[in-house]
Amino acid sequence: MDEEVQEKGDLKHRIWAEWEKIWMVALPAVVSKLFAFGTLVVTQSFIGHISEVDLAGYALVQTLTVRFINGILLGMSSATETLCGQAFGAGQNHMMGIYLQRSWIIDLVTLTVLLPIFIFGTQIFKLVGEEESIAKSGGYISLWFIPFVYSYVFGLAIQMYLQAQLKNMIIAWLSAFQFAIHIPLSWFFVYKLNMGVAGAMIALSSSSWFLVISEFVYIFGGWCPHSWKGFTVAAFKDLLPVVKLSISSGVMLCLELWYYAILVLLAGYMADAKIAISAFSICLNIYAWEFMISLGFLVAACVRVANELGRGNAKAVKLSIKVLLGTSMTIGVFFFVLCLVLGKKLAYLFTDDERVADTISDLSLFLSFSVLLNGIYPVLSGVAIGAGMQSVVAIVNLVCFYVIGIPLGALLGFLTTLEVKGIWAGMIFGVLTQTVTLGYIMWRTDWDDQVKKASERLERFYLHSNENPERISNDS
């Protein structure tokens, strides 16, 4: 009996310890992502007070072009999270700086190849049928977004690198400071210098690069002495395996991030498209704010699983997954109830149009279930990233989202009287299918085997810290 009590006490202690480790990663990640999203919203607000056409152009670029690029770069940078997380767990700290530099190289080339999407923004928006005035405004704003998206190349990878070694509180503080300076900076450029849209975009790029430069100072200034050993040509070695992992990571996360954006596109073909698009956009804004919390748990899942796999502790991986799911699902249930209870009241925070508010009220049940599922599938995706299983999840996402969810939503939306609710119902079914499938895969996964695979992966990329004669700077 005493042994049983001792085991229960030991289990409670391990759960509490794991819960603390999860929040050590998740909380700064949530804070930084909320502020990053808030920065874009502030810019949208300033541009919205300039003109309706420019607001539509900005919304078009942010929703389609920037989301597209962000999805690719975020996904490809998550390969850094896998490798750095496992290296940190295995005590191969010096390899983390090399993985970071490899990510910069891959992401820089990728974004440069995709740059024509921004350069020919006007032509692309005209091609998809946008009004000429909105297409021109969107094309103009696309050019101003170029320096902003280049900050993603460095910033996203740095965040993965710092998170993997549990140093992401600095990201939260810097993100908060970035947001704090972004508001007066936007006011100064837009109103004081009377620069209009150009001023708002200069403020956005300036604050985003402030964050990246601050992170550079933190890394190069000696606050990561064990993981940053200076720039090295070793970063150009073994790029192909990292590229493969980056591509599978990119595909996996892109398929998730773009999924709900399809709602807005399909809504444009409804009978009352203006009301449908407005209602969907507001619902997606609410969804996006809550999803920032889910992304925090995705990060925590990735870091915790990668760290424990690197340490070779399969038992700790299993415990971490259970605690992560339990915590995230509890938060999901809270927001599920909140969306159901508030319903129409949420709509009036964003609009005074009674018809839009009524549509949002009708959609509140679907929004609630989407928020509820946010408490599960991002954690499972984070577990997959931590274990390096991105290619498997990419296939699951492709089938569940784009072969099942979107076609079913289109059928229910256009061939029944459900319309917008039918579209969303089909999309939710796709997410539910993905969640169940990933849950089954994780349940059936042999974590001892994953420990072996992580060890093999790290061994394949490993370079001894004293075997890098090519190092060219800051060797310490």
Side-chain angles (χ1 to χ4, degrees):
M1 187 67 178
D2 290 339
E3 289 182 5
E4 185 178 343
V5 172
Q6 187 176 355
E7 284 181 9
K8 286 183 178 178
D10 183 55
L11 179 61
K12 288 180 181 178
H13 175 74
R14 286 190 289 118
I15 290 173
W16 177 255
E18 182 60 38
W19 194 77
E20 286 183 326
K21 290 175 183 176
I22 287 168
W23 278 107
M24 192 183 298
V25 179
L27 185 59
V30 169
V31 170
S32 62
K33 291 182 187 306
L34 282 172
F35 280 125
F37 185 72
T39 302
L40 288 169
V41 173
V42 167
T43 303
Q44 185 177 28
S45 177
F46 273 94
I47 289 178
H49 286 88
I50 296 171
S51 81
E52 290 184 3
V53 173
D54 289 325
L55 175 61
Y58 179 89
L60 197 65
V61 178
Q62 184 193 342
T63 304
L64 298 180
T65 315
V66 176
R67 184 183 289 251
F68 174 78
I69 296 297
N70 181 51
I72 291 174
L73 294 180
L74 180 63
M76 297 190 77
S77 297
S78 73
T80 307
E81 201 163 18
T82 302
L83 295 169
C84 284
Q86 293 181 1
F88 182 75
Q92 299 178 4
N93 292 349
H94 70 280
M95 286 300 300
M96 297 175 71
I98 296 175
Y99 294 143
L100 175 63
Q101 292 170 63
R102 286 174 182 169
S103 181
W104 287 342
I105 295 165
I106 294 168
D107 287 0
L108 188 62
V109 172
T110 301
L111 179 57
T112 303
V113 170
L114 294 171
L115 212 54
I117 295 174
F118 288 92
I119 296 173
F120 300 104
T122 300
Q123 292 84 342
I124 291 171
F125 293 140
K126 284 181 180 180
L127 192 64
V128 297
E130 291 296 331
E131 292 180 17
E132 186 169 348
S133 59
I134 296 176
K136 285 183 178 179
S137 175
Y140 174 72
I141 291 172
S142 289
L143 296 175
W144 280 107
F145 259 114
I146 291 175
F148 170 78
V149 293
Y150 265 103
S151 72
Y152 278 167
V153 168
F154 302 98
L156 291 174
I158 289 173
Q159 289 179 28
M160 307 293 184
Y161 162 80
L162 292 175
Q163 283 163 183
Q165 51 192 313
L166 308 180
K167 290 180 179 287
N168 58 334
M169 184 56 76
I170 184 65
I171 303 172
W173 283 111
L174 290 175
S175 298
F177 195 68
Q178 174 206 8
F179 184 77
I181 66 170
H182 179 66
I183 297 173
L185 203 61
S186 298
W187 173 85
F188 179 75
F189 281 111
V190 173
Y191 294 116
K192 197 69 177 176
L193 298 183
N194 199 28
M195 294 180 67
V197 172
M201 296 307 298
I202 289 172
L204 179 64
S205 293
S206 299
S207 62
S208 64
W209 275 101
F210 162 81
L211 176 62
V212 173
I213 291 170
S214 299
E215 289 169 342
F216 280 148
V217 171
Y218 182 80
I219 295 171
F220 302 156
W223 283 275
C224 297
H226 302 297
S227 57
W228 179 260
K229 299 296 183 180
F231 290 101
T232 169
V233 296
F236 291 90
K237 296 179 180 179
D238 296 318
L239 277 177
L240 187 57
V242 181
V243 169
K244 289 179 180 178
L245 183 60
S246 296
I247 290 173
S248 59
S249 300
V251 171
M252 172 193 151
L253 281 181
C254 284
L255 292 175
E256 289 187 15
L257 292 173
W258 299 340
Y259 187 50
Y260 278 97
I262 305 295
L263 280 169
V264 179
L265 295 178
L266 290 177
Y269 297 100
M270 294 284 101
D272 198 343
K274 186 177 179 181
I275 299 298
I277 290 175
S278 297
F280 264 137
S281 298
I282 291 171
C283 284
L284 286 180
N285 271 335
I286 298 169
Y287 173 86
W289 279 106
E290 197 280 332
F291 191 64
M292 295 302 108
I293 299 174
S294 303
L295 283 179
F297 280 93
L298 184 152
V299 169
C302 176
V303 171
R304 289 298 303 131
V305 169
N307 285 172
E308 296 302 339
L309 286 177
R311 291 189 182 99
N313 195 339
K315 189 176 181 180
V317 172
K318 295 174 187 177
L319 177 65
S320 183
I321 294 171
K322 291 174 183 176
V323 177
L324 277 159
L325 282 172
T327 307
S328 184
M329 286 172 66
T330 301
I331 294 172
V333 169
F334 170 77
F335 282 105
F336 169 77
V337 174
L338 200 65
C339 288
L340 280 180
V341 171
L342 294 179
K344 196 172 182 177
K345 293 178 182 177
L346 282 173
Y348 289 114
L349 294 173
F350 299 90
T351 182
D352 295 321
D353 192 313
E354 189 70 25
R355 292 178 301 165
V356 174
D358 287 336
T359 304
I360 292 171
S361 181
D362 288 339
L363 292 172
S364 62
L365 179 64
F366 299 93
L367 174 62
S368 299
F369 275 108
S370 295
V371 166
L372 181 63
L373 289 171
N374 274 355
I376 307 173
Y377 83 86
V379 171
L380 298 176
S381 295
V383 171
I385 294 172
M389 298 166 60
Q390 289 94 324
S391 57
V392 174
V393 182
I395 295 170
V396 172
N397 287 350
L398 179 63
V399 174
C400 294
F401 291 167
Y402 296 87
V403 177
I404 297 175
I406 292 175
L408 180 60
L411 287 173
L412 292 174
F414 295 107
L415 299 182
T416 71
T417 57
L418 291 173
E419 295 190 340
V420 290
K421 288 186 281 188
I423 294 174
W424 207 330
M427 306 283 273
I428 288 175
F429 184 77
V431 175
L432 181 62
T433 306
Q434 182 244 25
T435 303
V436 172
T437 305
L438 286 185
Y440 178 76
I441 290 173
M442 297 307 160
W443 177 58
R444 295 289 297 172
T445 296
D446 183 343
W447 290 105
D448 289 306
D449 185 52
Q450 290 299 320
V451 166
K452 294 178 183 176
K453 289 181 179 178
S455 178
E456 291 169 0
R457 183 184 296 115
L458 293 173
E459 185 66 29
R460 185 165 68 248
F461 291 136
Y462 185 76
L463 292 170
H464 290 287
S465 58
N466 60 354
E467 291 181 359
N468 289 329
E470 302 100 330
R471 186 167 296 126
I472 56 179
S473 72
N474 195 33
D475 193 6
S476 61

